[in-house]
């Protein structure tokens, strides 16, 4: 399993448009991908659950990736967070 934590930098947190692109990135991989926020663990491949988390600027999230392509998935998703969130 691979994981990383990230403090959200974007003014609007993880809003619907960014969440949609994030979900599409996660769906490119066969590994299970989850996001941990405020003691909740949600599937990062499901848009509704991500937008319902209410992640705001300054919040810390952890992404966990487990599966056959976990290394590539974790790196790609971490880059997405850094570049967009």
């Amino acid at each position: 399993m691979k994981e990383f934590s990230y403090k959200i930098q974007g003014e609007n947190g993880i809003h619907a448009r960014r969440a949609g692109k994030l979900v599409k990135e996660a769906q490119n991989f066969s590994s299970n991908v989850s996001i941990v926020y405020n003691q909740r663990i949600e599937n990062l491949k499901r848009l509704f659950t991500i937008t319902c988390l209410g992640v705001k600027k300054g919040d810390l999230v952890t992404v966990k990736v487990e599966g056959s392509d976990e290394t590539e998935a974790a790196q790609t998703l971490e880059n997405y967070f850094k570049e967009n969130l």
Side-chain angles (χ1 to χ4, degrees), residues 2-85:
K2 302 285 183 182
E3 69 177 64
F4 65 89
S5 294
Y6 184 77
K7 186 175 181 179
I8 303 300
Q9 305 296 314
E11 287 297 320
N12 298 316
I14 302 181
H15 57 84
R17 184 170 21 106
R18 297 283 184 200
K21 292 179 180 180
L22 177 59
V23 168
K24 284 184 181 180
E25 286 289 330
Q27 289 174 341
N28 288 327
F29 300 98
S30 62
S31 293
N32 293 322
V33 185
S34 57
I35 186 168
V36 181
Y37 171 69
N38 206 20
Q39 300 180 345
R40 288 180 58 188
I41 302 172
E42 299 293 345
N43 185 342
L44 195 56
K45 295 181 179 183
R46 295 186 177 238
L47 180 59
F48 183 73
T49 60
I50 304 310
T51 55
C52 287
L53 285 174
V55 179
K56 296 179 177 37
K57 180 180 180 178
D59 290 344
L60 184 68
V61 298
T62 300
V63 175
K64 296 183 178 190
V65 185
E66 187 171 5
S68 61
D69 56 359
E70 65 187 24
T71 301
E72 181 185 358
Q75 186 62 54
T76 299
L77 292 170
E78 186 170 12
N79 289 340
Y80 180 85
F81 272 82
K82 289 177 180 176
E83 294 170 6
N84 299 287
L85 298 170

